[in-house]
Amino acid sequence: MNKHEHADAVVIGGGAIGTAVAYFLAKSGIKATLVERGEFPWGSSKRCDGHVATYDSEPGYFSRFCNAGLTMFPEVAKDLSVDFHFEPEGLGLLVDNEDDLEQAYKNYEGKLKEGSPVSFWDQKELRENEPNVADRVLACINFEGDAKLNPMKLAFGLAHKAQELGATLHTHTSVVGIDTQENSVKAVRTTSGTIFTKNVINACGVWAPSISALVGIDVPIRPRQGQILVTERVQSLVGKNYAEFGYLAAKKGKKRLGVTPEMDNYGVAFVTEPTEAGTVLIGSSRRFVGMNAAPEIKILRCIAQRAEYFFPAYKNARVIRSYAGLRPATPDGKPIISPTKVKGFFVAAGHEGNGIGLSLITGRLISELLNNKEPLFDIAPLHLDRFSSSR
Ligand SMILES: Cc1cc2nc3c(=O)[nH]c(=O)nc-3n(C[C@H](O)[C@H](O)[C@H](O)COP(=O)(O)OP(=O)(O)OC[C@H]3O[C@@H](n4cnc5c(N)ncnc54)[C@H](O)[C@@H]3O)c2cc1C
């Protein structure tokens, strides 16, 4: 970096969100600079699954938002020179007990009304389509449009396309200060120099609170740890992506029936993703344990047990590695995509377990905000002001 640079906008954070913001800003003709203290990506976006999910929200605003985010991927996949393995192969939500069945069916009907491509398999149809599923599983809601992708390749591809479109990229550069004058953004100070700008987008995920604090803004995001197991290459164990219906309750931190006290305590709910490499990702857990991103055997064991409960054949699959990541969680589980009381300072963070799937729509909405354009989607419910502490 030159000691002093100028940009129309500085995006801080090169995860899925920041790279998508930089891409859409560059596409709209805004001279953007993307600053990342590591590589693309460095934080949560390299320690997660790759679901572009609509299954994990109940019918309503957030479900429609996730759907709108999903529909943007095919076009962007064509636009990037990096193949990020976008595969809309669908996801099945497994229902394992009578208590959940009624609610699951209600959700299915609600999703149908919203126009989601969903179908319902009873136990017989499920077994015909997925022979390895446990006999105890009663039904499955198929989210036929849900997809998976490689999050690392997505962020890398977005950053480099942004650069091709005129954005400046700075890796291994940390933001250490933001200067304001008369309550407006003036410059971003980094470990490599100063960038003069009128606009800053805070896309720092779990680190968003410390960046916002530089301009005196409180952003209520907490790291919510999740752990993942990776199996060796296994053939034909599961046909596609699956999750358990209890995943929705675990996400909301609700008590669940039919899980061990340990699983309940660690927020373990089954989700699985066969990767293009032939390995299978198995998750996951949910805990608030600060910035601790170290996998732990006691939790990985619960995750493995839960996977065997739904697919007994997982018993024979060897685990080759494990990892943990931090979901940037807001108090209501929805992201913050918002201007703030400091003119020119925007927040695009707090996507919890949906930041990969919501990356493109977030990038586009921030670009529309900066360009004073009518937003693609109503973002009033995602404004920072909804949290009273930040008013
Ligand atoms: C186990 C697990 C599974 C998940 N599965 C899925 C899934 O299947 N689908 C899905 O959509 N989401 C999933 N998520 C959630 C997803 O990982 C996050 O929502 C998403 O990665 C957040 O992206 P981000 O760009 O906001 O944050 P990050 O990827 O963390 O990016 C923030 C960046 O800011 C940088 N930064 C911080 N401070 C500074 C500074 N001072 N200067 C410069 N740079 C800075 C960091 O280095 C980092 O690269 C999962 C998460 C976990 C933990």
Side-chain angles (χ1 to χ4, degrees):
M1 184 190 291
N2 295 325
K3 265 233 160 318
H4 296 108
E5 283 186 11
H6 291 263
D8 295 336
V10 174
V11 184
I12 312 175
I17 302 299
T19 55
V21 171
Y23 166 77
F24 279 98
L25 289 180
K27 243 181 141 46
S28 76
I30 286 183
K31 188 177 171 297
T33 294
L34 174 58
V35 182
E36 165 57 51
R37 65 169 177 195
E39 299 278 346
F40 305 121
W42 200 245
S44 308
S45 306
K46 71 165 186 177
R47 294 158 172 265
C48 55
D49 289 309
H51 293 291
V52 182
T54 67
Y55 77 88
D56 59 350
S57 50
E58 279 160 5
Y61 170 84
F62 192 58
S63 164
R64 292 194 301 279
F65 188 58
C66 292
N67 256 320
L70 166 64
T71 58
M72 294 177 65
F73 278 88
E75 200 181 314
V76 174
K78 278 190 227 143
D79 196 33
L80 303 193
S81 42
V82 173
D83 177 5
F84 57 85
H85 303 288
F86 177 72
E87 287 179 38
E89 66 185 26
L91 180 143
L93 197 57
L94 303 171
V95 187
D96 67 307
N97 65 73
E98 293 286 349
D99 290 330
D100 283 345
L101 204 50
E102 194 182 333
Q103 186 57 45
Y105 201 79
K106 267 192 199 151
N107 281 9
Y108 157 71
E109 289 182 319
K111 293 275 190 180
L112 262 186
K113 269 194 203 140
E114 284 180 353
S116 291
V118 283
S119 63
F120 194 89
W121 283 341
D122 62 16
Q123 201 171 28
K124 186 167 165 283
E125 285 169 299
L126 171 61
R127 196 118 317 110
E128 281 163 9
N129 284 285
E130 196 61 70
N132 282 328
V133 75
D135 288 343
R136 58 169 62 91
V137 184
L138 303 175
C140 174
I141 307 171
N142 296 296
F143 292 81
E144 287 165 10
D146 278 21
K148 68 181 182 197
L149 54 77
N150 181 320
M152 285 166 278
K153 289 188 174 174
L154 172 71
F156 185 79
L158 286 167
H160 287 278
K161 187 69 189 186
Q163 188 177 39
E164 265 175 60
L165 294 167
T168 303
L169 311 182
H170 292 301
T171 51
H172 301 286
T173 304
S174 289
V175 168
V176 291
I178 298 172
D179 297 337
T180 57
Q181 198 181 351
E182 290 167 8
N183 204 37
S184 299
V185 167
K186 282 287 158 222
V188 173
R189 280 181 283 116
T190 79
T191 44
S192 314
T194 299
I195 310 165
F196 294 96
T197 186
K198 288 187 173 155
N199 297 295
V200 167
I201 299 92
N202 175 1
C204 280
V206 295
W207 297 276
S210 55
I211 292 295
S212 289
L214 296 173
V215 290
I217 288 175
D218 180 20
V219 167
I221 291 175
R222 288 167 74 201
R224 197 175 192 190
Q225 192 210 61
Q227 308 197 9
I228 307 263
L229 289 172
V230 188
T231 71
E232 64 186 347
R233 292 184 72 176
V234 283
Q235 282 204 325
S236 321
L237 206 154
V238 285
K240 62 175 185 189
N241 307 300
Y242 285 97
E244 63 166 296
F245 184 70
Y247 191 93
L248 277 73
K251 208 173 165 188
K252 288 190 169 164
K254 285 189 187 162
K255 276 235 164 294
R256 288 185 299 141
L257 298 172
V259 293
T260 65
E262 263 187 316
M263 287 176 190
D264 204 30
N265 192 22
Y266 303 144
V268 169
F270 172 64
V271 57
T272 194
E273 177 188 328
T275 71
E276 87 270 4
T279 59
V280 181
L281 308 184
I282 305 173
S284 183
S285 54
R286 273 186 158 78
R287 293 191 309 159
F288 291 105
V289 283
M291 296 301 262
N292 171 6
E296 286 165 72
I297 288 292
K298 62 183 185 192
I299 295 172
L300 297 171
R301 193 175 290 127
C302 286
I303 292 172
Q305 280 166 358
R306 198 65 185 155
E308 282 173 37
Y309 174 89
F310 285 96
F311 286 94
Y314 270 134
K315 204 176 182 63
N316 302 319
R318 269 179 298 208
V319 169
I320 55 168
R321 68 188 176 95
S322 63
Y323 57 91
L326 303 171
R327 303 178 185 91
T330 62
D332 64 7
K334 296 187 193 76
I336 301 163
I337 303 175
S338 177
T340 65
K341 63 187 181 189
V342 174
K343 196 165 175 262
F345 188 82
F346 300 83
V347 178
H351 296 72
E352 219 266 12
N354 297 87
I356 305 304
L358 295 176
S359 55
L360 300 185
I361 193 164
T362 302
R364 175 157 166 184
L365 288 166
I366 289 286
S367 155
E368 286 163 349
L369 270 175
L370 264 75
N371 284 295
N372 292 315
K373 278 195 173 166
E374 186 70 23
L376 168 77
F377 206 90
D378 174 22
I379 51 169
L382 307 178
H383 202 288
L384 176 62
D385 279 357
R386 71 187 189 274
F387 303 112
S388 53
S389 60
S390 56
R391 276 181 193 143

